[in-house]
């Protein structure tokens, strides 16, 4: 199975566009990119965390607006990892022989919710029976991992700030990113506390946006495309939603380690073979944990990669050189497809100023919610 | 006997383990133990995760625990905004299971260290609500 076309809308506060219109921007871009007749698409998978959408069951209107009726369509939801699950779903639909060419549309419209509505949703991000009744928030959960990592390994707030500074630097070169202005370590450290030790600039922002992937079976991919990007490995895992249900010192995500293991095994490659990676930087600390969970650094050594600039362009493993969630914004359902968009562009050598020279193997990692889902996808040129 | 009385703000009212509230009202920390394989469950479960047996006994816990991690929340959901900043913690109980709970706001931040001994104790909120909290 190969990705033969990718598309991306501008991410950010898109008060000019509805959910279906955002989906259209990414889809149209992907169809033009794939140079495929839209009538050849025989199914669509719409990825969104539907509790953010005004429209119930959004696959209905999205497929209608994109002109994909009467072919099958449905929604997949795994919170922030919805698109990783969408890719896996499309891969399975195609590998089974049921479908030949499938569109995966990641889309989210978040900014038209009032801040009251957003905060109410945020309060129920965790286990609603045993943890939400104490006033949990999404940042609070990740902050607890940060506290543990700092205590065990001596990771500092400056180390975390380096993630934001790096990603905002690259975001300023990505026209699709929500934030176009680079920030300094000092600005990150001075931003207001959200949930200690995480400050405002350690956190990604809610956004509107869409990204789209067109997938085809190998026969069609070879026929239709002169630059297909192949799905080499897929890993997806789950973890208890309750923080209290997880084991260990809370300095890593078991769920990501499990997903990575499955993806590396399927692709028969090791972490050092990866040339470029997109990892889920919902918070600065998350990117550091991801370096370790994906095998780019040993446990506790993630901050060393940042201090030595190894995850920047020119380093041994460039990560989030499109700005990541911290600069692009995080339209939940679209984020995973946006990561894959970037990896496809990189592997085709079409990433412009942000190109990693000679990139042949790319990785995208997408965490869902507070770490109950994680997907790792490996692509090859 | 509604489960919405559990916590600082309860979202869920209906569950097979609603009886938990009546233990907390007696200042007891309840857990369940599988009648068949004897696995201890905290938070209490109505159904054994180990052997799928849907029959459990109620038991009580000591409350002794070790702090694993914590955070101080400054940006809160609507129902909790009057309380900011507040502390949330994760601790491992002497009996094995872990507990996610608020940390006593009278504890000064600098004295909180990972690995310190703490005690889970029952506290009441205004109205008829009841929950547990990590204390020193």
């Amino acid at each position: 199975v190969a990705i033969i076309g990718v598309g991306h809308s501008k991410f950010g506060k898109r008060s000019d566009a509805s959910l279906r219109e955002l989906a259209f921007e990414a889809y149209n871009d992907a169809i033009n990119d794939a140079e495929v007749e839209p009538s050849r698409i025989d199914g669509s998978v719409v990825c969104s965390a539907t509790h953010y959408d005004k429209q119930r069951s959004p696959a209905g209107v999205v497929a209608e607006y994109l002109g994909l009726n009467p072919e099958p369509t449905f929604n997949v939801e795994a919170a922030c990892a919805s698109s990783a699950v969408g890719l896996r779903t499309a891969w399975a639909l195609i590998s089974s022989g049921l479908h030949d060419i499938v569109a995966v549309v990641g889309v989210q419209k978040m900014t038209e919710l009032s801040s009251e509505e957003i905060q109410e949703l945020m309060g129920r991000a965790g286990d609603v029976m045993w943890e939400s009744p104490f006033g949990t928030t999404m940042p609070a959960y990740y902050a607890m991992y940060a506290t543990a990592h700092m205590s065990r390994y001596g990771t500092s707030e400056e180390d975390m700030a380096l993630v934001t500074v790096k990603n905002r630097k690259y975001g300023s070169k990505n026209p699709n990113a929500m934030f176009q202005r680079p920030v300094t370590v000092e600005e990150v450290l001075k931003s207001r506390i959200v949930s200690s030790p995480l400050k405002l600039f350690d956190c990604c922002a809610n956004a509107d946006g869409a990204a789209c992937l067109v997938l085809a079976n190998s026969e069609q991919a070879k026929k239709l495309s002169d630059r297909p990007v192949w799905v080499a490995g897929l890993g997806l895992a789950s973890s208890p939603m309750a923080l209290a249900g997880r084991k260990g010192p809370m300095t890593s995500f078991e769920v990501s380690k499990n997903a990575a293991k499955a993806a590396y095994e399927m692709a028969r490659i090791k972490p050092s073979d990866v040339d470029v990676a997109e990892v889920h930087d919902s918070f600065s600390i998350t990117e550091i944990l991801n370096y370790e969970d994906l095998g780019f650094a040993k446990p506790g050594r993630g901050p060393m990669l940042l201090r030595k600039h190894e995850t920047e362009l020119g380093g041994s493993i460039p990560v989030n050189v499109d700005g990541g969630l911290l600069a692009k914004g995080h339209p939940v359902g679209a984020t995973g497809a946006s990561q894959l968009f970037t990896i496809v562009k990189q592997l085709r050598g079409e990433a412009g100023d942000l190109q990693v020279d000679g990139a042949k193997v790319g990785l995208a990692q997408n965490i869902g919610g507070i770490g109950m889902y994680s997907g790792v996808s490996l692509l090859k040129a | 006997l509604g489960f919405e009385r559990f916590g600082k703000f309860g979202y869920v009212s209906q569950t097979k383990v609603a009886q938990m509230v009546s233990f907390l009202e007696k200042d007891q920390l309840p857990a369940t133990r599988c009648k068949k394989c004897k696995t201890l469950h905290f938070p209490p479960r109505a159904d054994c995760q180990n052997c799928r047996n849907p029959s459990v006994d109620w038991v009580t816990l000591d409350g002794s625990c070790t702090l694993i991690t914590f955070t101080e929340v400054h940006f809160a959901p609507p129902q909790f905004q009057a309380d900011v900043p507040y502390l949330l913690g994760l601790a491992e109980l002497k009996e094995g299971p872990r507990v996610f709970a608020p940390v006593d706001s009278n504890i000064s931040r600098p004295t909180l260290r990972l690995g310190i001994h703490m005690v889970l104790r029952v506290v009441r909120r205004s109205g008829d609500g009841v929950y547990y909290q990590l204390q020193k």
Side-chain angles (χ1 to χ4, degrees):
Chain A
V1 178
I3 299 175
I4 61 166
V6 290
H8 206 292
S9 82
K10 164 83 180 164
F11 280 10
K13 191 166 168 51
R14 292 292 309 275
S15 36
D16 62 310
S18 69
L19 178 107
R20 68 190 76 182
E21 293 155 358
L22 291 168
F24 184 86
E25 289 178 20
Y27 171 74
N28 203 35
D29 198 14
I31 292 296
N32 290 335
D33 182 60
E35 300 181 65
V36 65
E37 258 314 302
S39 60
R40 298 291 309 279
I41 294 175
D42 60 12
S44 56
V45 180
V46 178
C47 319
S48 100
T50 61
H51 44 274
Y52 289 109
D53 303 327
K54 296 277 181 185
Q55 177 64 57
R56 292 178 60 190
S57 204
V61 292
V62 168
E64 175 192 346
Y65 198 75
L66 304 187
L68 289 169
N69 297 139
E71 305 302 337
T73 189
F74 55 89
N75 230 98
V76 299
E77 191 272 336
C80 325
S82 296
S83 284
V85 177
L87 174 69
R88 189 182 179 89
T89 305
W91 187 92
L93 290 173
I94 293 169
S95 295
S96 68
L98 264 179
H99 289 260
D100 292 336
I101 303 177
V102 173
V104 174
V105 186
V107 61
Q108 207 76 59
K109 178 76 191 169
M110 302 177 80
T111 70
E112 73 182 335
L113 291 180
S114 68
S115 61
E116 270 281 292
E117 285 173 305
I118 284 277
Q119 284 164 9
E120 203 279 328
L121 281 172
M122 184 179 76
R124 290 186 289 122
D127 180 322
V128 82
M129 233 173 122
W130 300 113
E131 299 186 354
S132 306
F134 299 129
T136 60
T137 64
M138 200 72 101
Y141 280 108
Y142 285 89
M144 291 171 89
Y145 279 89
T147 304
H149 204 272
M150 290 170 81
S151 169
R152 189 176 169 102
Y153 298 119
T155 302
S156 67
E157 295 189 41
E158 285 82 357
D159 290 329
M160 292 188 262
L162 291 176
V163 175
T164 305
V165 170
K166 170 177 73 73
N167 294 357
R168 289 283 294 257
K169 177 178 76 182
Y170 293 125
S172 72
K173 294 174 183 166
N174 177 356
N176 287 327
M178 180 175 194
F179 299 113
Q180 295 287 324
R181 188 179 68 81
V183 293
T184 63
V185 168
E186 195 177 33
E187 277 179 280
V188 179
L189 294 176
K190 278 188 176 163
S191 61
R192 68 182 172 87
I193 298 176
V194 172
S195 196
S196 71
L198 299 181
K199 296 162 293 297
L200 186 65
F201 285 6
D202 289 303
C203 308
C204 68
N206 292 332
D208 308 323
C212 178
L213 317 166
V214 178
L215 283 91
N217 64 28
S218 61
E219 191 194 327
Q220 292 300 325
K222 283 174 193 157
K223 209 180 282 179
L224 292 166
S225 178
D226 53 4
R227 45 180 190 165
V229 169
W230 300 93
V231 180
L234 290 176
L236 184 69
S238 67
S239 166
M241 188 153 179
L243 214 63
R246 301 181 194 171
K247 295 178 170 49
M250 309 308 284
T251 52
S252 68
F253 284 100
E254 237 10 78
V255 69
S256 291
K257 292 191 211 167
N258 287 328
K261 186 168 181 281
Y264 288 133
E265 280 177 10
M266 181 172 162
R268 294 199 187 90
I269 63 166
K270 49 189 189 307
S272 58
D273 296 327
V274 177
D275 298 314
V276 57
E278 285 280 298
V279 309
H280 198 85
D281 56 327
S282 51
F283 301 95
S284 55
I285 185 63
T286 329
E287 178 161 325
I288 293 174
L289 263 52
N290 294 338
Y291 293 164
E292 300 171 15
D293 296 342
L294 295 168
F296 300 154
K298 291 202 167 72
R301 304 287 287 173
M304 289 305 292
L305 290 182
L306 289 159
R307 292 177 211 155
K308 292 180 172 173
H309 308 284
E310 294 291 359
T311 52
E312 295 182 25
L313 282 177
S316 57
I317 173 67
V319 175
N320 290 340
V321 294
D322 63 353
L325 284 62
L326 286 167
K328 287 189 294 182
H330 183 28
V332 170
T335 284
S338 168
Q339 295 177 320
L340 291 156
F341 170 95
T342 292
I343 296 297
V344 167
K345 290 281 190 186
Q346 286 281 352
L347 298 182
R348 286 184 190 162
E350 296 171 2
D353 289 349
L354 300 170
Q355 183 65 44
V356 174
D357 290 335
K360 294 279 185 292
V361 178
L363 177 150
Q365 178 237 15
N366 197 193
I367 296 181
I370 56 169
M372 56 279 193
Y373 321 117
S374 187
V376 174
S377 311
L378 288 162
L379 306 183
K380 277 185 181 174
Chain B
L1 195 75
F3 188 71
E4 72 282 355
R5 289 166 61 202
F6 171 71
K8 292 170 103 174
F9 178 88
Y11 293 92
V12 170
S13 60
Q14 301 173 355
T15 162
K16 291 180 178 179
V17 294
Q19 201 186 332
M20 173 166 191
V21 174
S22 57
F23 281 92
L24 293 173
E25 282 183 326
K26 288 181 277 180
D27 283 319
Q28 292 175 333
L29 292 169
T32 56
R33 192 183 286 286
C34 175
K35 278 187 193 289
K36 207 158 113 192
C37 75
K38 308 296 176 195
T39 300
L40 179 70
H41 298 295
F42 181 85
R45 290 175 56 107
D47 310 290
C48 183
Q49 192 179 32
N50 183 44
C51 73
R52 290 179 294 107
N53 177 30
S55 169
V56 294
D57 287 321
W58 285 90
V59 296
T60 58
L61 302 172
D62 173 83
S64 295
C65 55
T66 306
L67 186 65
I68 296 171
T69 189
F70 69 93
T71 184
E72 187 177 65
V73 178
H74 288 248
F75 185 72
Q79 300 86 349
F80 303 89
Q81 277 163 7
D83 299 341
V84 293
Y86 54 86
L87 292 160
L88 296 175
L90 178 72
E92 189 156 297
L93 294 158
K94 191 180 76 179
E95 293 87 350
R98 290 184 173 189
V99 58
F100 186 100
V103 178
D104 185 356
S105 58
N106 297 316
I107 297 177
S108 84
R109 253 295 292 284
T111 68
L112 268 189
R113 289 269 178 277
L114 306 198
I116 60 169
H117 178 257
M118 298 195 81
V119 186
L120 190 67
R121 287 201 184 93
V122 176
V123 289
R124 277 152 227 282
R125 64 166 149 93
S126 52
D128 59 356
V130 65
Y131 58 100
Y132 42 69
Q133 186 183 63
L134 291 164
Q135 301 181 352
K136 266 200 166 172

